Amino acid sequence: MQVKPEYIQLSDLELSTLLSEGDEIAYTEIYNRYHGALYIHVFNKLRHREDSRDIVHDLFISLWNKREQLVLKTTLSSYLYTAVRYKVFDLISHRDVASRYVESVSGFSEQEDGMTDHTIREKQFLAIIEQEIAALPKKMRAIFELSRNGNLSHKEIAAQLELSEKTVKKQINNSLKILRKKLGTALFTAFIL
């Protein structure tokens, strides 16, 4: 969506008021104003491009979805930076949980001196994950596999499949939500890491 020149001149407070009224152009201007800086901020914390993109993308999806309840007690920039900081904390927390889970499984495996058992479980986990990926809708699965297995960026996938980058981001986001729900948090987190 093209931003009108007069929107560029608006203050953050004016933009947030228009956003809460459902103004898509105001939302686009907020996105254009803060997306790059928020991405750099997150990347400096995580040092992971894809995770940084996903967190900023999720933040803007959340901002739009909750626009009607948006009540700023501070500046818009403070609100966005605080929200993105919490998303980074959540991701790190989930990684810690997954790491402890993997360590406990490894510890159990070593205690029992059962590398065969560990290998069997790992193969079972992988089979379950592959089954759930195969159950994704065809277009979503293709995009997801190019992202995760092909290590392609959203832009590269969009070019290869002749789709918009926004469609690719949405499909990957949706596939992750589906997999998280079907695999459960522990298995999903172990898979993502």
Side-chain angles (χ1 to χ4, degrees), residues 19 23-32 60-61 63-64:
L19 172 66
D23 190 317
E24 294 180 23
I25 298 172
Y27 173 76
T28 303
E29 174 56 23
I30 291 169
Y31 179 88
N32 291 342
F60 279 101
I61 288 173
L63 181 65
W64 178 254

Side-chain angles (χ1 to χ4, degrees), residues 56-67:
V56 174
H57 179 72
D58 287 348
L59 170 67
F60 279 101
I61 288 173
S62 177
L63 181 65
W64 178 254
N65 290 338
K66 296 178 180 177
R67 66 190 177 277

Side-chain angles (χ1 to χ4, degrees), residues 8-172:
I8 295 171
Q9 304 300 320
L10 294 176
S11 70
D12 284 355
L13 181 60
E14 292 168 317
L15 286 172
S16 60
T17 301
L18 290 170
L19 172 66
S20 66
E21 295 169 358
D23 190 317
E24 294 180 23
I25 298 172
Y27 173 76
T28 303
E29 174 56 23
I30 291 169
Y31 179 88
N32 291 342
R33 209 173 270 189
Y34 288 103
H35 177 267
L38 288 169
Y39 170 79
I40 291 168
H41 180 72
V42 174
F43 183 79
N44 285 337
K45 304 282 184 229
L46 298 177
R47 297 289 179 200
H48 191 274
R49 280 187 349 209
E50 206 63 35
D51 284 345
S52 300
R53 276 190 221 134
D54 289 346
I55 283 176
V56 174
H57 179 72
D58 287 348
L59 170 67
F60 279 101
I61 288 173
S62 177
L63 181 65
W64 178 254
N65 290 338
K66 296 178 180 177
R67 66 190 177 277
E68 292 170 354
Q69 296 88 28
L70 183 65
V71 178
L72 295 180
K73 296 177 182 172
T74 181
T75 64
L76 178 62
S77 63
S78 294
Y79 172 83
L80 293 172
Y81 278 95
T82 300
V84 85
R85 188 170 36 244
Y86 283 121
K87 288 188 177 291
V88 168
F89 291 154
D90 285 346
L91 178 68
I92 292 169
S93 172
H94 287 299
R95 283 185 177 167
D96 288 345
V97 168
S99 177
R100 286 194 300 271
Y101 173 77
V102 169
E103 285 173 17
S104 72
V105 169
S106 296
F108 176 78
S109 210
E110 289 167 11
Q111 265 183 348
E112 296 295 316
D113 198 29
M115 284 307 282
T116 306
D117 185 47
H118 178 70
T119 305
I120 291 170
R121 285 184 194 191
E122 186 176 328
K123 286 181 181 178
Q124 288 172 336
F125 284 157
L126 290 174
I128 291 168
I129 291 167
E130 290 302 320
Q131 181 181 355
E132 293 303 335
I133 291 172
L136 291 171
K138 186 176 181 180
K139 178 180 171 186
M140 186 183 290
R141 183 178 69 240
I143 292 170
F144 181 82
E145 289 178 339
L146 286 172
S147 171
R148 294 305 188 239
N149 298 338
N151 292 321
L152 298 180
S153 69
H154 292 167
K155 190 173 188 175
E156 292 168 327
I157 296 169
Q160 186 172 332
L161 298 179
E162 299 179 333
L163 299 169
S164 74
E165 199 171 335
K166 186 176 180 180
T167 299
V168 170
K169 288 179 183 178
K170 185 174 181 176
Q171 290 291 320
I172 290 172

